[in-house]
């Protein structure tokens, strides 16, 4: 009860402060968001319960109607995760993750720091080719069984989630905000960023983050040992082999389906449909591995979490709070370029923590672009910075799909993610600002 009381007091303080600059409805929305974030962080209520509260709170405080709120819990993106969770459960049921983890241990250095760097690089590389959500769904079940040491296990899971976010920005197809940016640029008659040029722009930033994050996560792990005694880890029986072929075909299909504009248009298949189809294939007789009882293992609280994120984004838009924030930002247009980029990077990074990055960037790009029209900063540069920052939020599970998938493992607590994520948010903001001023502004 004490934790719930802290959330209520925090929300009342936010309402009092926000009401000084915003109207009552906007201040109420900000207070409700603080209430949810505090409960997510201090775990005063179960994650799934807190994630369902917007359906009750938003109509009660005249923010959104019940229907307008509830519809956000059935977005098509959610079914991508549903399919991914089914595949992950099949991987665990067949013990394929143990076989793959054994192969990883024979390829990469067997020290804790070596494994962390290896997983981060693997996750980032895959995320540059297929979606970061899919990468996290495929790799995290493997990381769960590399060690029985809980402290090490948490960092293994986090490094995969963070690596997926890092790699997602390397190509236009790595994460949805990148595609939203390209669509926005086309809509406003701006010259699109070619595929290869995008890679050249983002790779230095990704390399810097891939050095810093695994290094920080490896601090204090000198005495940790990898688990080498997992039963049946190294045996590839026919059942595992069949699932391995199925997963291989999934990766190939996702790669072939990916667009590489202007060179290759892909197959045109919907990635959400692909993941859900493969998830449902896990139930097919003589092909799949699951029965309906296995669906009890699906982390539905993570699905509710995404619904909450989409609901918050919808509330920002429906109440006009997004436009009101834009008006307040216009007063910053006379600031020096470095200060303005730092403010935009910080605002997007930390705002992403309380709503999905896809939803946020859809709202934020018009605001940030309008701001650039009153400054000397190039509009392409400032919206590119905002888009990258939307993927570099590491504190809360609602921020990015890989963060939420890390939470679905059951090993990571919100406070663990928040503790490391705050440090990485700051590192990300500083790195993005430095790269933007020293590199991007000359070549974008």
């Amino acid at each position: 009860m004490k934790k719930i009381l802290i959330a209520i007091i925090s929300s009342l303080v936010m309402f009092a402060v926000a009401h000084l600059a915003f109207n009552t409805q906007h201040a109420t929305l900000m207070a409700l968001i603080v209430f949810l974030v505090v409960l997510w962080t201090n775990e005063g209520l179960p994650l799934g319960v807190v994630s369902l509260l917007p359906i009750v709170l938003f109509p009660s405080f005249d923010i959104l109607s019940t229907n307008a709120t509830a519809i956000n819990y059935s977005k098509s993106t959610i079914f991508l995760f549903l399919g991914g969770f089914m595949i992950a459960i099949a991987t665990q049921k067949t013990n394929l993750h143990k076989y793959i983890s054994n192969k990883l241990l024979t390829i990469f250095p067997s020290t804790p720091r070596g494994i962390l760097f290896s997983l981060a690089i693997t996750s980032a590389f895959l995320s540059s080719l297929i979606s970061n959500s899919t990468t996290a769904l495929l790799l995290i079940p493997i990381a769960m069984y590399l060690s029985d040491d809980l402290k090490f296990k948490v960092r293994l899971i986090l490094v995969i989630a963070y690596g997926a976010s890092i790699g997602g920005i390397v190509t236009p197809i790595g994460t949805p905000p990148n595609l939203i940016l390209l669509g926005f640029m086309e809509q406003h008659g701006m010259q699109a960023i070619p595929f290869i040029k995008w890679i050249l722009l983002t790779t230095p930033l990704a390399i810097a983050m891939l050095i810093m994050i695994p290094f920080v996560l490896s601090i204090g792990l000198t005495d940790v040992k990898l688990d080498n005694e997992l039963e049946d880890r190294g045996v590839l029986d026919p059942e595992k082999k069949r699932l391995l072929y199925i997963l291989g075909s999934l990766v190939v299909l996702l790669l072939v389906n990916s667009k590489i504009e202007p060179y290759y248009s892909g197959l045109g298949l919907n990635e959400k449909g692909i993941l859900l189809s493969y998830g449902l294939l896990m139930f097919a007789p003589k092909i799949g591995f699951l029965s309906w009882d296995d669906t009890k293992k699906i982390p539905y609280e993570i699905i509710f979490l995404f619904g909450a994120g989409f609901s918050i984004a919808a509330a920002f838009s429906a109440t006009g709070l997004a436009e009101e924030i834009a008006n307040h930002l216009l007063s910053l247009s006379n600031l020096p370029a470095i200060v303005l980029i730092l403010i935009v990077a910080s605002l997007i990074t930390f705002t992403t923590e309380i709503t999905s990055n896809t939803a946020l960037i859809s709202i934020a790009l018009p605001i940030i672009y309008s701001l650039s029209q009153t400054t000397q900063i190039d509009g392409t540069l400032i919206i590119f910075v905002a888009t990258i920052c939307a993927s570099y939020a590491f504190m809360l599970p609602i921020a990015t799909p890989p963060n939420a998938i890390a939470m679905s493992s059951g090993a990571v607590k919100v406070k663990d993610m928040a503790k490391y994520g705050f440090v990485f948010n700051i590192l990300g903001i500083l790195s993005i600002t430095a790269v933007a001023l020293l590199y991007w502004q000359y070549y974008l």
Side-chain angles (χ1 to χ4, degrees), residues 8 10 20 34 37 80 102 125 150 159 176 221 248 320 326 353:
I8 293 172
S10 300
L20 298 175
V34 167
V37 169
L80 180 148
N102 184 63
F125 176 73
L150 182 58
V159 86
L221 292 178
E353 299 292 359

Side-chain angles (χ1 to χ4, degrees), residues 15 29 105 109 123 129 165 215 279 293 302 306 359 424:
F15 178 83
L29 175 55
L105 290 177
S123 182
L129 301 173
S165 293
F215 180 82
D293 285 343
I302 302 302
F306 270 97
F424 299 143

Side-chain angles (χ1 to χ4, degrees), residues 78-314:
I78 288 172
F79 292 94
L80 180 148
F81 294 105
L82 190 60
F85 288 141
M86 292 173 182
I87 294 170
I89 292 169
T91 303
Q92 294 176 12
K93 187 173 182 178
T94 60
N95 285 325
L96 178 62
H97 55 289
K98 296 181 181 180
Y99 172 80
I100 296 174
S101 65
N102 184 63
K103 294 303 178 184
L104 281 173
L105 290 177
T106 61
I107 296 172
F108 297 121
S110 58
T111 64
R113 179 165 290 171
I115 293 295
L116 286 169
F117 270 95
S118 302
L119 288 175
I121 293 168
T122 302
S123 182
F125 176 73
L126 288 175
S127 292
S128 68
L129 301 173
I130 59 179
S131 80
N132 56 7
S133 308
T134 304
T135 298
L137 285 165
L138 292 175
L139 291 182
I140 283 177
I142 298 169
M144 285 284 291
Y145 290 87
L146 284 173
S147 176
D148 286 335
D149 185 287
L150 182 58
K151 181 172 70 173
F152 188 31
K153 184 181 293 189
V154 166
R155 299 191 197 188
L156 290 169
I157 294 167
L158 288 178
V159 86
I160 288 176
Y162 295 159
S165 293
I166 292 167
I169 62 101
V170 172
T171 63
I173 61 174
T175 184
N178 298 357
L179 298 173
I180 292 171
L181 171 66
L182 293 179
F184 179 87
M185 294 176 73
E186 181 181 0
Q187 184 181 5
H188 287 76
M190 305 167 72
Q191 185 177 359
I193 304 171
F195 194 92
I196 300 301
K197 183 178 180 180
W198 184 298
I199 293 174
L200 293 175
L201 289 169
T202 54
T203 297
L205 173 63
I207 291 173
M209 296 298 288
L210 282 173
I211 292 172
M212 291 186 288
I213 287 182
F215 180 82
V216 172
L217 287 172
S218 68
I219 295 173
L221 292 178
T222 52
D223 296 330
V224 173
K225 293 183 178 180
L226 293 170
D227 178 19
N228 292 309
E229 298 179 355
L230 287 173
E231 180 184 355
D232 194 32
R233 176 183 249 174
V235 179
L236 186 62
D237 57 35
E239 191 175 54
K240 292 189 185 73
K241 189 178 292 186
R242 186 168 81 252
L243 179 55
L244 193 61
Y245 289 150
I246 291 173
L247 293 181
S249 71
L250 170 60
V251 173
V252 170
L253 180 58
L254 290 168
L255 290 173
V256 174
N257 188 58
S258 299
K259 292 182 180 180
I260 306 178
E261 298 290 1
Y263 310 104
Y264 176 62
S265 59
L267 298 179
L269 301 176
N270 187 293
E271 192 169 276
K272 305 176 186 70
I274 293 174
L275 261 292
L276 182 60
S277 297
Y278 268 78
L280 296 176
L281 184 64
M282 296 298 104
F283 296 89
K286 298 184 178 181
I287 297 176
F289 312 87
L290 303 181
S291 66
W292 187 248
D293 285 343
D294 292 312
T295 60
K296 295 175 183 177
K297 299 175 183 177
I298 293 175
Y300 292 103
E301 67 272 15
I302 302 302
I303 293 174
F304 297 152
L305 178 69
F306 270 97
F310 289 127
S311 297
I312 291 171

Side-chain angles (χ1 to χ4, degrees), residues 331-347:
S331 62
L332 306 174
S333 59
N334 295 323
L335 293 173
I338 184 172
V339 177
L340 190 57
I341 289 177
L342 272 172
I343 290 174
V344 169
S346 302
L347 182 66

Side-chain angles (χ1 to χ4, degrees), residues 325 329 342-352 360 368 429:
I325 292 173
L329 285 176
L342 272 172
I343 290 174
V344 169
S346 302
L347 182 66
I348 295 297
T349 298
F350 285 102
T351 304
T352 302
L360 174 70
I368 302 299
I429 290 167

